[in-house]
Amino acid sequence: MQKFNIHTIQKGESLKNIASLYSLDTDALKSFHNNHCDVKDMILIDLTGQKELFLPRTAVTDKKRLVQFGRGNSLVFQPEHSFYRYGVAINIENDNHKNELKYETSVRWLKTENKLHFFEIDRTSNLYLNEEEVNEIADLLAYKTSKVLYPLQVSVDEEGKFNAVENLSVFKERWPAVKEEVYKEFEGETVDSYCEKIEKVIYETDAMSLYLKNDYFIRTLFFGIYHRFGPHYETSIAESFPIVNNPVEPKYEVKLEIDPLKDEYDLVNIKGEGILNDERSVYDFINGAPFSFIIEDHPEMNHEGSFRLAYYLNGETLLSESLYLECSIDLEKEKKISVVIAALTD
């Protein structure tokens, strides 16, 4: 993320009038420039032939370009009355095998209660697998039976992070109608077996909750990026992501940076990079262990995985317009998930 701006010095300009132009203290401007420039371009008292002047990133003449932060340069999550339609692409890579899922969905804010925001999520298109509408029976069954989930209601905390699915009890009520629809189109032992498995999950609340917690779209959109970024517009967080099927998700250390200036499209840019930081070994993850089998006072952490994200927020509402999240972990082979979400316009 860029840490400074550059002013091209015009003929006749002085350090004092440039500082005045950007509403800066002259000595503070000189100190900032000297901390960023080459030795030959340092300013002792006033300008002596320098061609460029380094400015703090927030030093702009158009104050509308500044991101509106809360206390401590905190990014405030205010989704009230919002409604977005998104296009979603999810890539799942295991070694040399790669599959891409695409669909469209809507996200509507419902209410705020007890410091939680409630949203309704609805899938608004067919499901596409590797650019083709799903047609294999297993994929069609998965798509048809997934209708029992929508509309889905979730709660999100004040940092914009997924909290819980709030309408789990409704799925049991929807299932008979969905099941009837499935049997109108399909028949045979495969369908019977699939529906039995679905029913076991639907009627087991904990299993259903865990299944939905692993939804890549929900976890990416509501990753929780509304933090206090501090004086240097950066922060470090410890987060998990459901890249493997385990009740205890792999943990990552992620450094987030936010640009205090909106870009040319009036978007707020947030970038993040990190690594796996978990006590569990490759062997533990492969075997689905929720904790390390080796108990040590100072365990050697597993860093064989990476994390990257790029979020672009609306400059006025500070809500997501487009985002990219990529998460990987090394098992016997590398597994990588990448999620792309982009707001759709009519």
Side-chain angles (χ1 to χ4, degrees):
M1 201 76 73
Q2 189 171 331
K3 302 295 184 182
F4 51 77
N5 296 332
I6 294 177
H7 174 88
T8 302
I9 298 171
Q10 305 296 317
K11 185 177 180 180
E13 285 187 320
S14 67
L15 185 64
K16 183 177 181 180
N17 59 36
I18 293 174
S20 177
L21 176 66
Y22 294 102
S23 302
L24 296 171
D25 176 80
T26 303
D27 288 336
L29 174 57
K30 180 170 65 175
S31 176
F32 185 90
H33 171 82
N34 288 344
N35 284 331
H36 290 82
C37 71
D38 294 333
V39 173
K40 63 182 179 62
D41 293 321
M42 293 181 71
I43 301 169
L44 299 179
I45 299 175
D46 208 329
L47 302 178
T48 55
Q50 289 86 356
K51 295 181 180 180
E52 294 179 333
L53 195 62
F54 288 92
L55 307 171
R57 184 64 175 149
T58 53
V60 290
T61 54
D62 182 7
K63 301 303 181 185
K64 292 181 180 179
R65 290 193 60 202
L66 296 173
V67 175
Q68 296 303 306
F69 290 106
R71 182 177 298 178
N73 286 333
S74 59
L75 198 61
V76 182
F77 186 44
Q78 295 178 316
E80 287 80 0
H81 310 294
S82 62
F83 175 79
Y84 272 86
R85 292 176 54 246
Y86 291 108
V88 184
I90 300 171
N91 283 282
I92 303 172
E93 299 179 48
N94 274 301
D95 193 17
N96 294 323
H97 302 287
K98 180 176 179 180
N99 284 306
E100 181 184 58
L101 297 172
K102 285 186 176 180
Y103 59 90
E104 294 178 6
T105 189
S106 65
V107 179
R108 183 191 305 275
W109 175 87
L110 297 175
K111 63 179 180 178
T112 298
E113 190 175 279
N114 297 326
K115 296 185 177 181
L116 291 173
H117 299 282
F118 292 77
F119 294 86
E120 180 182 85
I121 299 172
D122 204 0
R123 192 168 290 178
T124 57
S125 76
N126 291 336
L127 182 67
Y128 292 84
L129 176 63
N130 300 326
E131 300 296 341
E132 295 183 0
E133 192 169 353
V134 294
N135 52 25
E136 295 291 333
I137 183 147
D139 297 325
L140 281 169
L141 283 171
Y143 172 65
K144 295 291 185 181
T145 54
S146 70
K147 291 182 178 180
V148 76
L149 305 177
Y150 299 98
L152 181 67
Q153 291 184 12
V154 301
S155 57
V156 177
D157 69 17
E158 292 180 302
E159 292 182 346
K161 184 177 180 178
F162 170 74
N163 177 64
V165 175
E166 298 292 340
N167 62 336
L168 287 169
S169 61
V170 176
F171 304 151
K172 300 174 187 177
E173 300 170 13
R174 294 176 183 166
W175 175 241
V178 172
K179 184 178 180 179
E180 182 180 354
E181 184 180 334
V182 167
Y183 272 101
K184 284 180 180 179
E185 295 188 42
F186 308 100
E187 60 181 16
E189 293 181 3
T190 300
V191 182
D192 294 338
S193 176
Y194 195 89
C195 285
E196 286 176 9
K197 291 178 181 178
I198 293 295
E199 285 182 356
K200 286 180 180 179
V201 176
I202 290 174
Y203 287 92
E204 180 54 57
T205 303
D206 290 343
M208 195 75 238
S209 181
L210 179 61
Y211 171 78
L212 290 168
K213 183 186 175 186
N214 292 342
D215 185 286
Y216 295 131
F217 166 71
I218 294 174
R219 293 295 298 276
T220 299
L221 183 66
F222 298 121
F223 181 72
I225 56 167
Y226 295 84
H227 293 278
R228 180 173 293 191
F229 286 85
H232 301 295
Y233 305 103
E234 61 186 35
T235 188
S236 293
I237 59 173
E239 285 296 344
S240 62
F241 198 76
I243 189 170
V244 295
N245 186 19
N246 192 308
V248 180
E249 300 167 356
K251 301 177 183 66
Y252 293 80
E253 288 288 341
V254 183
K255 179 182 178 182
L256 295 178
E257 294 183 289
I258 186 169
D259 193 334
L261 290 186
K262 303 171 192 176
D263 66 17
E264 59 186 307
Y265 304 105
D266 198 39
L267 297 175
V268 179
N269 292 198
I270 300 174
K271 302 291 176 67
E273 289 193 1
I275 59 172
L276 182 70
N277 190 49
D278 202 295
E279 293 184 15
R280 287 169 289 179
S281 67
V282 171
Y283 176 84
D284 293 332
F285 282 118
I286 291 174
N287 288 280
F291 53 84
S292 174
F293 288 119
I294 301 173
I295 308 300
E296 298 177 330
D297 291 335
H298 304 286
E300 182 178 347
M301 304 302 285
N302 180 359
H303 297 308
E304 297 300 316
S306 64
F307 200 98
R308 188 159 65 94
L309 62 80
Y311 281 49
Y312 302 91
L313 312 183
N314 181 289
E316 295 299 319
T317 66
L318 301 181
L319 299 178
S320 297
E321 292 284 341
S322 64
L323 38 149
Y324 174 81
L325 184 150
E326 179 185 290
C327 181
S328 74
I329 187 170
D330 289 345
L331 302 174
E332 290 179 329
K333 302 290 185 179
E334 182 188 46
K335 181 177 182 181
K336 182 164 69 174
I337 303 292
S338 60
V339 183
V340 179
I341 302 173
L344 301 173
T345 55
D346 296 327

